[in-house]
Amino acid sequence: MAEPERRRRFGAVIFLFAVACVATASDEKQSQILGDWLTESKDGIIQISQSADANYEGRIVGGNHPGRLDDKNPDATQRSKPLRGQVILRKLHYDGAGKWSGGTIYEPDSGRTYSCLVELVGPDSLKVRGFIGISVLGKSQIWTRHVGTSMDLPNTR
């Protein structure tokens, strides 16, 4: 093999290695959102996972009202279904730097769905912002990583 060809191949290998390293570093930050999160009001546990389409979603997996129904849902056919097990965060995609956007969040207390932004503000803290139109018109909550073993929380109301 000629020397110029060998250098090109070596350069290509180095380039591919660098791309793989950057992708791996991004994946490590990106995966920190995965797991169980306790809502700010400490009445629900949301499990965030990666969906089949590579977006992120959050499902109610626990809380202080295990049998609560989705009685505020705007779709009357859904009102008899339990909240536990329902996906309330949908289609979040990773933007980099510990931020996710492009998704929606369903608020069971009102039955409304809002646009959503999520930011990892610490290894065990997420800032979750629901809004209409622009993010200034919304509200934020800080969710903390749930480290307990029970999915049933004490009733605080």
Side-chain angles (χ1 to χ4, degrees):
M1 180 181 307
E3 186 63 28
E5 179 66 22
R6 186 174 289 150
R7 284 185 185 163
R8 272 196 296 273
R9 285 188 182 186
F10 181 72
V13 168
I14 295 298
F15 174 75
L16 291 174
F17 179 74
V19 168
C21 287
V22 169
T24 301
S26 174
D27 288 347
E28 287 174 18
K29 184 78 167 179
Q30 189 172 342
S31 67
Q32 290 181 13
I33 194 174
L34 301 175
D36 295 339
W37 297 89
L38 184 61
T39 60
E40 185 173 274
S41 56
K42 306 211 181 319
D43 64 353
I45 301 168
I46 312 302
Q47 184 177 72
I48 298 180
S49 60
Q50 196 164 19
S51 60
D53 62 1
N55 287 314
Y56 292 85
E57 64 184 23
R59 176 180 311 274
I60 299 173
V61 294
N64 61 2
H65 297 287
R68 182 177 167 197
L69 300 179
D70 192 8
D71 59 353
K72 303 281 196 225
N73 196 306
D75 181 349
T77 64
Q78 301 298 308
R79 293 181 190 153
S80 62
K81 292 186 176 180
L83 280 171
R84 193 172 286 194
Q86 287 198 31
V87 175
I88 64 164
L89 276 173
R90 297 181 185 277
K91 299 190 182 239
L92 285 169
H93 64 267
Y94 187 60
D95 295 331
K99 296 181 181 182
W100 292 260
S101 68
T104 60
I105 186 166
Y106 174 68
E107 182 184 35
D109 290 338
S110 69
R112 293 190 174 134
T113 300
Y114 300 97
S115 297
C116 183
L117 299 171
V118 175
E119 180 179 358
L120 189 68
V121 292
D124 296 324
S125 297
L126 282 180
K127 178 180 172 184
V128 180
R129 184 159 186 81
F131 61 95
I132 298 173
I134 57 174
S135 67
V136 174
L137 303 174
K139 65 180 181 177
S140 295
Q141 285 191 3
I142 299 296
W143 293 0
T144 54
R145 193 169 298 278
H146 178 66
V147 293
T149 56
S150 175
M151 293 294 124
D152 293 326
L153 300 171
N155 192 340
T156 56
R157 290 184 186 179

